[in-house]
């Protein structure tokens, strides 16, 4: 049976990572920025799975579970903060979060 | 895992138990003093547990942790810093709106992440520790409903999230190339020759570390976040968060010999010089004390990187001494801001500090000592720290970096003196708003820090002997 080379999976992960980074830089809505960060983190998880596959070790998948759970923790706190920001300012625009300057 | 393994990681276990206990007890006792005391007890117990842990050291606990003189020294330093932040927060938080119990729980969890970093020798524990620390910081920065707290937290969490993704992606690339996530094995396998994936992975880890350390050119978030965060949290960010990342990065680079790969030595030299100049020059134009301290902490990372680049035993000792001196001074400086801040508003603009020396002579004296130490004046810890860093740099013939360090120390004196002059100049005509009363816990913490500052500045031998042991690990 032909197998998929690990390099392909790594390439896909790199593309996903680049997409996520573009989203963070381009998107103005905070929720979308957060989603783009999730895409980046999951791209890293995918790269770990590809690496674990290459070495035929479970370590890559273990790291993926770590990344998944910590990304969930991160997003729950982040959403709470963003929710409070929306409550105070009535907007989710990242550019409006600019009262701190100097 | 054997009993000895558990004893070796006792500080981590104690803080974990403290965090769980505080979470459970907060359901029954929401009193501010109770919860603050609980956190302080947790930190003191964790510090005490370093004694049995050091008997079990050196010891590799699973593949994830290595408990040795290096990790024990920095665990102690981080725990001491967290204890000082707890005491300073107690006075600062008293009387503020909202539940205060959770503040201390999150503080314990954040410190737990930091000490996990101090002893981790594996990518998994590196990532876990960093995220535990990072997520706690999002909460701490936005804890109080200040005008800028939410915004600061959002800025921090977006950039920290991006930095974390860079870090894990970089780790994945290194793992793809080398097939191991343990620092010691990375060292052996990377020696065979660096492929493009290892190179890219290391570059991404460097970017992530730069963000977390707030080193130039990744320092843009620091002033906003430090300004928006409550002053004690600013102290935590500048000391524990930054210090823990510096400790793990130093271990990673020393143990894996990654400075020798490709242009990384040059890259880190550029980051160090850029941080020094960017931090010090931008600090010259600040009107806010907290922003000035933020830029000053950017510059201090540049100084510490000089010691990193020198490497070897003198470099490690210098980096450790500098970190300890920097911890004492920056926590003290933020602590002084915290003690002067009222419930409604923090004292932040430099002009508001005018004439303070006449109203609060002791506090102004302590603040001055902290600023002089940050500037590197003799008789303070900061002076000896800079001396050791410069000595380590000269020992490795890093003349360019040493000259940058000396020039920048000279530039930095200007903006520290500006705050000191404001403290000692007469107040403006109109009656200033009455200052808040001095909280006892915070005053004790600040007093102790000031004594420690002078002690480290005139009698460095005890700390140096500890650091020599720590540096012998590599």
């Amino acid at each position: 049976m032909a197998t998929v080379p690990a390099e392909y999976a790594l390439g896909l992960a790199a593309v996903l990572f680049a997409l996520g980074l573009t989203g963070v830089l381009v998107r103005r809505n905070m929720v979308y920025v957060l989603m783009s960060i999730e895409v980046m983190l999951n791209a890293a998880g995918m790269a770990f799975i590809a690496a674990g596959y290459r070495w035929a070790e479970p370590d890559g998948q273990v790291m993926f579970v770590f990344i998944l759970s910590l990304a969930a923790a991160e997003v729950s706190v982040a959403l709470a903060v963003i929710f409070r920001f929306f409550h105070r300012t009535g907007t989710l625009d990242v550019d409006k979060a600019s009262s701190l300057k100097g | 895992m054997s009993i000895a393994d558990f004893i070796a990681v006792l500080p981590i276990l104690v803080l974990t138990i403290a965090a769980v206990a505080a979470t459970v007890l907060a359901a029954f006792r929401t009193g501010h003093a109770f919860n603050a005391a609980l956190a302080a007890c947790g930190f003191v117990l964790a510090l005490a547990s370093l004694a049995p842990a050091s008997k079990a050291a050196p010891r590799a606990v699973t593949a994830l942790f290595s408990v040795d003189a290096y990790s024990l020294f920095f665990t102690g330093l981080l725990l001491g810093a967290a204890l000082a932040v707890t005491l300073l927060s107690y006075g600062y938080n008293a009387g503020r709106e909202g539940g205060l119990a959770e503040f201390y729980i999150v503080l314990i969890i954040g410190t737990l992440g930091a000490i996990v970093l101090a002893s981790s020798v594996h990518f998994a524990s590196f990532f876990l520790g960093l995220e535990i620390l990072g997520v706690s910081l999002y909460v701490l920065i936005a804890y109080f409903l200040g005008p800028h707290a939410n915004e600061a937290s959002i800025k921090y969490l977006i950039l920290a999230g991006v930095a974390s993704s860079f870090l894990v992606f970089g780790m994945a690339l290194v793992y793809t190339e080398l097939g191991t996530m343990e620092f010691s094995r990375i060292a052996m396998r990377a020696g065979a020759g660096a492929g493009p994936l290892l190179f890219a992975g290391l570059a991404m880890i460097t970017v992530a570390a730069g963000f977390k350390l707030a080193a130039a050119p990744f320092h843009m978030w620091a002033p906003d976040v430090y300004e928006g965060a409550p002053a004690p949290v600013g102290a935590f960010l500048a000391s524990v968060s930054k210090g823990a990342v510096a400790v793990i990065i130093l271990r990673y680079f020393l143990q894996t010999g990654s400075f020798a790969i490709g242009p990384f030595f040059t890259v880190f030299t550029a980051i160090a010089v850029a941080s020094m100049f960017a931090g010090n020059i931008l600090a010259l134009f600040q009107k806010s004390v907290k922003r000035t301290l933020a830029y000053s902490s950017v510059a201090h990372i540049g100084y510490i990187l000089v010691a990193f680049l020198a490497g070897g035993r003198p470099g490690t000792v210098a980096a450790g001494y500098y970190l300890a001196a920097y911890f004492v001074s920056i926590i003290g400086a933020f602590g002084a801001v915290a003690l002067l801040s009222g419930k409604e508003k923090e004292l932040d603009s430099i002009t508001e500090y005018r004439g303070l020396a006449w109203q609060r002579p002791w506090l102004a004296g302590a603040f001055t000592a902290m600023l002089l130490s940050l500037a590197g004046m003799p008789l303070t810890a900061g002076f000896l720290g800079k001396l050791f860093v410069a000595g380590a740099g000269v020992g490795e013939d890093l003349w360019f970096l040493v000259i940058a360090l000396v020039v920048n120390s000279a530039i930095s004196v200007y903006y520290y003196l500006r705050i000191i002059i404001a403290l000692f100049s007469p107040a403006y005509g109109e009656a200033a708003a009455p200052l808040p009363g001095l909280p006892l816990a915070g005053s004790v913490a600040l007093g102790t820090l000031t004594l420690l500052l002078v002690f480290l500045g005139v009698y460095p031998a005890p700390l140096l002997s500890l650091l020599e042991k720590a540096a012998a690990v590599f």
Side-chain angles (χ1 to χ4, degrees):
Chain A
M1 196 180 90
T3 50
V4 185
E7 284 72 24
Y8 288 14
L10 208 60
L12 177 61
V15 170
L16 276 175
F17 190 84
L19 278 177
L21 187 60
T22 317
V24 172
L25 296 173
V26 176
R27 284 285 187 170
R28 298 272 63 94
N29 185 314
M30 281 173 196
V31 177
Y32 280 104
V33 170
L34 209 58
M35 282 165 68
S36 304
I37 291 175
E38 289 297 297
V39 171
M40 288 172 81
L41 279 171
N42 282 309
M46 166 122 205
F48 258 113
I49 289 187
Y53 171 66
R54 175 174 176 185
W55 297 102
E57 282 177 345
D59 298 31
Q61 291 169 34
V62 172
M63 278 302 281
F64 179 71
V65 175
F66 276 147
I67 293 172
L68 210 63
S69 48
L70 282 165
E74 193 165 318
V75 88
S76 57
V77 173
L79 276 177
V81 176
I82 289 176
F83 181 71
R84 212 166 69 168
F85 182 82
F86 181 71
H87 242 322
R88 276 180 84 87
T89 58
T91 175
L92 284 173
D93 191 343
V94 215
D95 291 338
K96 293 288 185 308
S98 59
S99 67
L100 289 160
K101 278 191 194 122
Chain B
M1 278 175 81
S2 65
I3 297 289
D5 285 343
F6 282 111
I7 292 175
V9 290
L10 210 51
I12 295 176
L13 294 179
V14 168
L15 274 200
T16 314
I17 294 167
V20 175
T23 313
V24 173
L25 288 173
F28 304 104
R29 299 273 307 261
T30 49
H32 180 213
F34 175 77
N35 283 288
L38 202 65
C41 281
F43 291 133
V44 169
L45 275 179
L47 276 171
S49 74
L50 282 171
S54 66
K55 292 220 174 60
R59 188 173 190 89
V61 182
T62 69
L64 300 181
F65 297 111
S66 161
V67 179
D68 45 38
Y70 180 84
S71 78
L72 287 169
F73 174 80
F74 285 107
T75 304
L77 189 64
L78 293 168
L79 285 170
L83 182 62
V85 171
T86 311
L87 295 177
L88 290 168
S89 319
Y90 179 67
Y92 180 90
N93 293 352
R96 275 172 202 270
E97 279 177 37
L100 295 169
E102 289 78 10
F103 184 92
Y104 299 98
I105 299 172
V106 181
L107 196 65
I108 298 175
I109 297 174
T111 312
L112 175 65
I115 66 171
V116 163
L117 282 179
S119 47
S120 70
V121 286
H122 191 281
F123 278 161
S125 46
F126 184 175
F127 174 62
L128 277 176
L130 200 70
E131 285 296 292
I132 295 171
L133 177 60
V135 174
S136 314
L137 279 171
Y138 308 161
V139 180
L140 286 176
I141 294 167
Y143 200 85
F144 298 111
L145 281 168
H148 305 304
N150 271 332
E151 184 187 320
S153 182
I154 287 170
K155 280 183 176 166
Y156 184 70
L157 73 86
I158 289 176
L159 285 173
V162 172
S164 300
S165 342
F166 268 89
L167 183 79
V168 271
F169 204 91
M171 286 173 174
L173 292 179
V174 173
Y175 178 50
T176 313
E177 177 94 9
L178 301 177
T180 181
M181 291 193 268
E182 288 170 49
F183 292 0
S184 51
R185 293 209 193 151
I186 289 173
M188 287 187 297
R189 298 192 190 171
L197 283 181
L198 179 67
F199 191 77
L202 211 52
M204 293 182 89
I205 292 175
T206 306
V207 170
F211 263 115
K212 292 280 178 176
L213 290 171
F218 314 108
H219 65 284
M220 271 69 124
W221 59 271
D224 287 356
V225 173
Y226 284 38
E227 189 189 350
V233 177
F236 191 77
L237 265 168
S239 61
V240 175
S241 155
K242 209 177 245 205
V245 178
V247 168
I248 179 95
I249 287 296
L250 180 60
R251 190 199 276 273
Y252 179 77
F253 276 89
L254 283 179
Q255 216 163 31
T256 61
S258 296
F259 279 138
I261 296 175
F264 277 94
F265 194 85
T266 318
V267 168
F268 271 86
T269 306
I271 292 178
V273 174
S275 302
M276 285 190 250
F277 277 103
N280 282 322
I281 291 176
L282 290 170
L284 296 176
F285 306 107
Q286 300 308 317
K287 294 188 183 70
S288 140
V289 170
K290 277 158 94 185
R291 286 186 90 86
T292 309
L293 290 175
Y295 279 115
S296 133
S297 84
V298 171
H300 281 279
I301 277 300
Y303 304 148
I304 292 169
L305 280 177
V306 176
F308 278 25
L309 287 163
R313 270 195 200 196
T316 315
V317 171
Y321 200 90
Y322 200 93
L323 264 181
Y326 163 75
F327 267 37
V328 172
S329 335
I330 201 86
I331 295 176
F334 272 106
V337 176
L339 291 187
L340 288 166
S341 296
K343 265 177 228 164
E344 303 303 321
K345 187 177 162 299
E346 289 194 341
L347 206 58
D348 196 25
S349 163
I350 293 180
T351 50
E352 289 174 315
Y353 282 77
R354 280 179 70 100
L356 217 65
W358 316 115
Q359 287 174 279
R360 289 261 188 279
W362 288 101
L363 208 161
F367 195 14
T368 306
M370 299 303 168
L371 292 171
L372 289 177
S373 169
L374 286 170
M377 290 292 162
L379 288 181
T380 61
F383 171 72
L384 281 182
K386 277 214 178 93
L387 200 66
F388 293 140
V389 169
V394 170
E396 293 293 315
D397 290 332
L398 304 173
W399 290 104
F400 178 58
L401 281 168
V402 173
I403 291 169
L405 182 124
V406 173
V407 170
N408 274 285
S409 301
I411 300 175
S412 73
V413 170
Y414 173 77
Y415 59 84
Y416 295 123
L417 274 184
R418 210 168 49 155
I419 303 178
I420 296 173
I421 289 170
L423 284 174
F424 286 91
S425 53
Y428 284 132
E430 77 265 27
L435 289 169
L438 277 185
L440 180 66
S443 312
V444 170
L446 193 62
T448 315
L449 286 172
T450 315
L451 290 179
L452 208 57
L453 185 86
V454 179
F455 178 75
L456 288 179
V458 293
Y459 188 54
L463 193 66
L464 279 180
S465 71
L466 279 176
L467 276 165
E468 287 289 346
K469 278 185 213 146
V473 169
F474 302 112

